Amino acid sequence: METLSIAKQFALAARPVAVKPLGEGFINDTFVVESDGGPRYLLQRKNHNVFPDVPAMMDNIVAVTEHIKAKVTDPMRETLSVVPAKDGKPYYRDPDGNYWAVCLFIEGTRTFDKADSAELARQGGIGIGRFQALLSDFDRPLAEVIKGFHDIRWRFVQWDASLAADKAGRVKDLKEEISWIESRRDRMLGFWKMVEDGELPRSVTHNDTKLSNILFDAKSGKVLCAIDLDTVMSSTALNDVGDAIRSYANKTFEDDPDYSAVGIDLEIYAAWMAGYLSERKDSLSEKEKEWLAFAPLYITYEQVLRFLMDYIDGDTYYKIKYPEHNLVRTRSQYALLQSMEAEYPEMQRIVKDLLG
Ligand code: GN1
Ligand code: MG
C-alpha cells in the first residue's frame, strides 16, 4: 500500500498531502507526513520480523509516554505523542500485514549521529538520566517486546544455535571473530547473573540509547527527550548507560571500516556520565554505581555478538548496505571493545571521581 494512503488511516488533525522518507534506520522505515495546514507527523513501518508483537509494543509506548506527559512542563515536546489510527488503535495493519504507527513530528529539534562536543554528550546523559528518573515510579507491567534483548544468557542460546546451524556457511572463515566472543563468555554471564539474582535492580529502561535516538532543541542545544521507544522494557538501568557510551564515546562511527580510527573517547565518556549522574546520582544503588563503568563493555560485547551472529545467519536482522557490512560492524565494534578494555581502569576512576 502506498504511504500516503497509509497516512490517511490515522486520525490526523488535517488531510495528509505528502510523505517523504526520513533517515536510515537499521530496523524500521520512517517517513515524514505533511498535512494540509496542520502539523507534520512521523510515520513508521514497524519491522514485524524484529518486533513479533507490534500491538504490545505500541501499548508499551503509549503507557510510557502518557506517564511522562503527566509529569513534564511541556508534554508535547518532552516526549513522543502517539497518534492513533482512525479505529482508535495505536497502529494500523495494512492488507499486506505490515504494521504502521504515527506520532507527532516535534518541530524545532535536531538529532546527531556523532557526539562532537563534551557538552552534547553531557546533554545526552541528562536525557537518559531524566528518562529513567521520570519512569522510576512507573509500576504497570511492560511487555517484553524482544525476548532477552540485553540478556546475554539468552543471546548465547541464540548464538549457539546460529553456530550449529551455520545457515550461510560462514562459520569456517570466522574462527578469530568467534574466539572474541567465546573468550569473554564467562565474564559477561557473570555480570548478567547479578541482574538475574536481583543484585542489580530492574526498572523501566529505554534499551536503545544511541545518540541518534535523542532529540535536542535546535535553538538552545539542550536535550529534549528520548525517542525511538520501541524497546522500552524492564531491564537494568546500566544497559542504557552502556549502550549510550558505546555510541557517544566512540571516536568514529559504529561501522567504520578503518578499525584504527576506533576507540573510546574518555572526555566524551566523562561528560556523558556527568550528565547522567546529575539526574541519577542519588537514586542509583551502591551496586549499580560499582558496575557503571563496566556497562559499556557489556553492551559493546553484546553488540559484537549480535552483528556477528547476524552475519553468520546470513544477514536477516539488520539492514545492510553491502555484503560484508555485518562483518565490518563486528570488527569495528570489537576494536571499540578492546579499547574499552584497555581503558577500563580509567573509566572506573572517572566514575569514582564523579560520585565523589
Ligand atoms: C538498532 O533501532 P535502531 O536503529 O536505533 C538496534 C539496537 C542496536 C542498533 C545498532 C531493536 O537500533 O539494538 O544497538 O541498531 N535495535 C533493535 O546501531 O535491535
Ligand atoms: Mg530502534
Side-chain angles (χ1 to χ4, degrees):
M1 217 168 140
E2 202 217 330
T3 47
L4 189 59
S5 320
I6 304 279
K8 287 181 183 156
Q9 307 301 319
F10 287 86
L12 310 185
R15 190 172 56 89
V17 287
V19 181
K20 290 176 196 140
L22 178 83
E24 306 182 12
F26 285 18
I27 308 282
N28 298 318
D29 300 306
T30 307
F31 305 85
V32 180
V33 179
E34 276 163 31
S35 69
D36 192 9
R40 293 200 288 170
Y41 298 89
L42 268 188
L43 168 70
Q44 271 195 325
R45 176 169 40 217
K46 299 291 187 182
N47 188 324
H48 192 29
N49 176 35
V50 168
F51 301 108
D53 191 348
V54 176
M57 172 174 90
M58 292 309 299
D59 285 345
N60 279 1
I61 298 177
V62 169
V64 160
T65 51
E66 278 177 358
H67 188 89
I68 294 177
K69 280 181 193 301
K71 289 182 163 185
V72 294
T73 45
D74 191 350
M76 299 314 281
R77 284 174 67 76
E78 290 181 57
T79 191
L80 294 178
S81 305
V82 175
V83 178
K86 284 180 172 161
D87 64 4
K89 293 191 180 124
Y91 60 87
Y92 167 71
R93 187 165 185 247
D94 73 21
D96 302 327
N98 293 308
Y99 283 90
W100 299 82
V102 168
C103 61
L104 268 181
F105 187 98
I106 307 176
E107 300 290 347
T109 60
R110 60 168 304 189
T111 55
F112 297 86
D113 285 323
K114 181 144 180 26
D116 43 19
S117 75
E119 180 51 21
L120 184 70
R122 198 180 69 85
Q123 287 294 327
I126 293 173
I128 292 304
R130 195 173 289 160
F131 179 83
Q132 291 182 350
L134 282 166
L135 291 164
S136 59
D137 60 342
F138 182 93
D139 54 8
R140 291 163 54 186
L142 285 174
E144 189 179 21
V145 287
I146 297 180
K147 181 178 162 57
F149 193 53
H150 289 315
D151 168 347
I152 209 68
R153 194 180 301 283
W154 173 246
R155 292 297 183 186
F156 282 130
V157 171
Q158 298 178 313
W159 166 257
D160 292 339
S162 286
L163 288 185
D166 192 14
K167 276 195 205 128
R170 290 172 168 169
V171 165
K172 61 180 183 330
D173 301 319
L174 298 169
K175 287 217 172 66
E176 192 188 337
E177 288 80 0
I178 290 170
S179 77
W180 299 341
I181 300 301
E182 295 298 345
S183 60
R184 293 165 176 85
R185 192 190 270 247
D186 292 344
R187 189 179 189 200
M188 299 302 162
L189 279 170
F191 172 80
W192 190 251
K193 186 148 191 320
M194 291 186 290
V195 179
E196 293 170 326
D197 292 350
E199 285 178 58
L200 289 170
R202 289 181 194 258
S203 53
V204 181
T205 47
H206 182 283
N207 294 304
D208 190 5
T209 50
K210 61 185 186 188
L211 173 57
S212 56
N213 282 337
I214 296 282
L215 274 193
F216 294 82
D217 186 272
K219 261 200 208 124
S220 69
K222 291 226 158 68
V223 66
L224 204 54
C225 60
I227 52 172
D228 188 2
L229 304 178
D230 294 351
T231 50
V232 166
M233 282 179 274
S234 172
S235 188
T236 158
L238 298 186
N239 285 341
D240 283 353
V241 173
D243 204 27
I245 298 300
R246 178 185 75 78
S247 149
Y248 286 73
N250 189 349
K251 285 181 189 152
T252 184
F253 42 98
E254 184 180 84
D255 56 355
D256 192 339
D258 176 5
Y259 310 133
S260 69
V262 180
I264 180 159
D265 181 329
L266 289 173
E267 193 198 339
I268 297 285
Y269 166 85
W272 193 93
M273 282 290 189
Y276 177 75
L277 287 173
S278 71
E279 297 284 326
R280 296 288 336 258
K281 201 174 178 170
D282 300 330
S283 53
L284 290 178
S285 70
E286 285 313 310
K287 198 83 180 175
E288 286 174 306
K289 289 176 186 168
E290 189 185 325
W291 286 92
L292 211 46
F294 186 74
L297 282 72
Y298 177 83
I299 289 288
T300 305
Y301 171 85
E302 181 203 293
Q303 195 66 67
V304 176
L305 184 155
R306 290 173 64 199
F307 283 147
L308 184 56
M309 188 163 71
D310 197 31
Y311 185 68
I312 291 171
D313 290 344
D315 312 305
T316 58
Y317 188 92
Y318 292 108
K319 291 185 202 164
I320 54 169
K321 288 191 183 145
Y322 52 92
E324 305 284 282
H325 200 167
N326 272 320
L327 186 57
V328 168
R329 285 168 172 153
T330 301
R331 291 176 176 156
S332 205
Q333 289 285 288
Y334 181 64
L336 181 61
L337 176 62
Q338 283 185 301
S339 159
M340 287 174 175
E341 287 172 344
E343 297 292 356
Y344 185 48
E346 191 56 16
M347 290 164 73
Q348 284 179 298
R349 193 196 58 76
I350 290 169
V351 166
K352 236 188 198 148
D353 283 358
L354 287 169
L355 289 169

